[in-house]
Amino acid sequence: MFTEIKLKNPVNLTSRDLSARSRRVDQLIECHLVSGGYDYLAKFVTTGIDECQAIMEQLLDLEIRIDKYFTFVVLKSPLIKVHLPLAMSPRRTSDFHVSQ
């Protein structure tokens, strides 16, 4: 599951604060500070909606000052790569190849 998290006052909460507080939640496996209409994108691995809701209630109790959040359930993952193609040197866009 992915959750978009908008904080009440993100200026008063550093990434270090969020990291320290959210480490208490084992099911939270990724958390990213992002640009756009919300502050963080979190990735959870849970057994279902009930567990996800319980986790969000935990996070609300950690004084992270969450204003609102939106959770999205992953229905299917047609692509999951286990490697990152970042080891290559910077390339021009004409150098990219798409496998058929």
Side-chain angles (χ1 to χ4, degrees):
M1 295 185 190
F2 289 91
T3 301
E4 298 173 350
I5 299 171
K6 176 120 178 90
L7 302 178
K8 291 179 183 173
N9 189 355
V11 175
N12 291 338
L13 181 71
T14 67
S15 293
R16 187 176 301 150
D17 293 334
L18 180 65
S19 177
R21 293 175 184 159
S22 61
R23 286 187 193 281
R24 302 175 194 166
V25 181
D26 290 335
Q27 296 89 339
L28 177 58
I29 61 169
E30 292 180 21
C31 189
H32 308 277
L33 177 63
V34 296
S35 61
Y38 54 96
D39 301 305
Y40 289 91
L41 177 65
K43 181 178 181 181
F44 296 92
V45 174
T46 67
T47 58
I49 299 293
D50 291 338
E51 184 181 11
C52 186
Q53 185 60 40
I55 291 167
M56 288 311 300
E57 289 173 12
Q58 271 185 282
L59 288 175
L60 291 169
D61 291 341
L62 291 178
E63 298 179 14
I64 297 174
R65 298 185 45 83
I66 294 174
D67 182 32
K68 56 186 168 182
Y69 64 91
F70 301 96
T71 298
F72 303 90
V73 176
V74 175
L75 301 175
K76 187 174 183 180
S77 298
L79 175 65
I80 298 176
K81 290 188 177 184
V82 294
H83 69 281
L84 301 175
L86 301 177
M88 300 177 269
S89 61
R91 297 174 152 202
R92 299 180 308 270
T93 55
S94 61
D95 291 338
F96 292 119
H97 297 81
V98 177
S99 300
Q100 297 283 332

